Amino acid sequence: MTVSIDLTGRVALVTGAGQGIGRATALRLAEAGAIVAVADIVPERAQAVADDVTHAGSMGMAVPLDVTNARAVQEAVKRVEGSLGRVDILVNNAARWRVKLFKDIAPDEYQSEIDIILYGSLYCSRAVLDGMIEQRSGRIVNIISDAGRVGEPFLSVYSAAKAGLAGFTKSLAKEVGRYGITVNGVAPGTTETPGAEEFITRAGGVEALAKAYPLRRIGQPDDIANAVLFFASDLSGWVTGQILSVSGGYTMI
């Protein structure tokens, strides 16, 4: 028996999709046949990845978006639904992090990380929820990070925001399962992306970090995208409220 993942005809909205894990996720979903709305705060990045999606053989739509603006999120989802018909899959990936000891972070710096990671995910989830409830199906996948499960030095506020997103994942899953909607989380370990460069440097570089991982390497964006693809597909139809660590064995929960 051949097992394959076919997302043909389904519409995915991926936030923070202009680079790194978001970009890899957008392309992986497109390779499985999904139409992908590529949301990013930098319009040029969103368009570039939407073009990559099209070149991969699917259809891409660029969605310039600041996920911290609740009204802008609602309007963006309406544009996607108006152009593409619906949203079947939401991937909440947009994030920001500062690599600092907590004692060195000014209180006014807390808010931006919390706004993007936690409130951005709340706004996007709420914006797609009515449509998913009406169609009685949907997949919401939150990119959480193992920092939100076990904590990480130099990433205290980021860890706190991701922990909040983990709690939201479980709570929402219990609310919306009756409508055929699943809500799950993917928790990456250190992954080699543009956003992680400062943390990787602070930790001594890729080779030094890899020694802490049983599989002796850090993650690549495609490693995370593959897990998202599973949660976005019918293969995970009876899985909800779960958080999967994709970390080369660094975190075992």
Side-chain angles (χ1 to χ4, degrees):
M1 181 177 69
T2 300
V3 178
S4 63
I5 294 177
D6 184 2
L7 300 179
T8 301
R10 300 187 196 181
V11 177
L13 170 61
V14 183
T15 70
Q19 60 183 6
I21 290 170
R23 178 181 183 276
T25 296
L27 292 176
R28 183 63 82 245
L29 296 176
E31 289 165 359
I35 299 166
V36 184
V38 178
D40 198 275
I41 195 168
V42 180
E44 294 79 11
R45 289 200 309 229
Q47 187 61 60
V49 176
D51 291 342
D52 290 340
V53 166
T54 301
H55 293 154
S58 188
M59 176 181 175
M61 174 182 176
V63 184
L65 178 62
D66 176 0
V67 298
T68 69
N69 184 322
R71 179 175 294 181
V73 169
Q74 289 282 353
E75 292 173 353
V77 169
K78 287 180 181 178
R79 288 200 307 275
V80 171
E81 291 174 336
S83 297
L84 305 179
R86 54 197 281 161
V87 175
D88 299 289
I89 302 159
L90 169 66
V91 182
N92 284 312
N93 170 71
R96 179 181 182 180
W97 50 357
R98 288 184 174 86
V99 184
K100 287 184 179 181
L101 291 171
F102 183 66
K103 69 181 182 63
D104 297 330
I105 304 174
D108 60 4
E109 292 182 298
Y110 305 163
Q111 200 63 49
S112 64
E113 288 184 64
I114 294 169
D115 283 349
I116 295 170
I117 294 168
L118 185 54
Y119 280 98
S121 298
L122 298 179
Y123 295 152
C124 291
S125 298
R126 181 64 190 89
V128 303
L129 206 53
D130 288 343
M132 288 184 175
I133 289 172
E134 183 176 351
Q135 66 201 29
R136 302 194 74 81
S137 66
R139 298 282 189 268
I140 297 175
V141 186
N142 297 320
I143 306 301
I144 289 169
S145 172
D146 273 349
R149 307 188 81 185
V150 299
E152 192 67 46
F154 304 107
L155 297 175
S156 53
V157 177
Y158 175 84
S159 298
K162 290 292 190 179
L165 185 54
F168 172 67
T169 299
K170 296 174 184 179
S171 295
L172 186 61
K174 291 181 177 180
E175 291 185 11
V176 301
R178 70 194 68 184
Y179 304 110
I181 302 167
T182 65
V183 188
N184 290 290
V186 174
T190 303
T191 305
E192 197 167 5
T193 66
E197 286 179 359
E198 185 181 356
F199 177 77
I200 292 171
T201 299
R202 191 74 168 263
V206 171
E207 290 185 6
L209 269 173
K211 293 177 181 177
Y213 287 77
L215 294 183
R216 291 298 186 267
R217 69 174 177 88
I218 66 171
Q220 296 299 315
D222 281 346
D223 294 319
I224 317 307
N226 289 337
V228 175
L229 177 61
F230 167 70
F231 281 133
S233 76
D234 292 339
L235 294 179
S236 64
W238 208 50
V239 180
T240 196
Q242 304 303 308
I243 299 170
L244 174 65
S245 289
V246 183
S247 61
Y250 181 79
T251 305
M252 300 183 183
I253 299 177

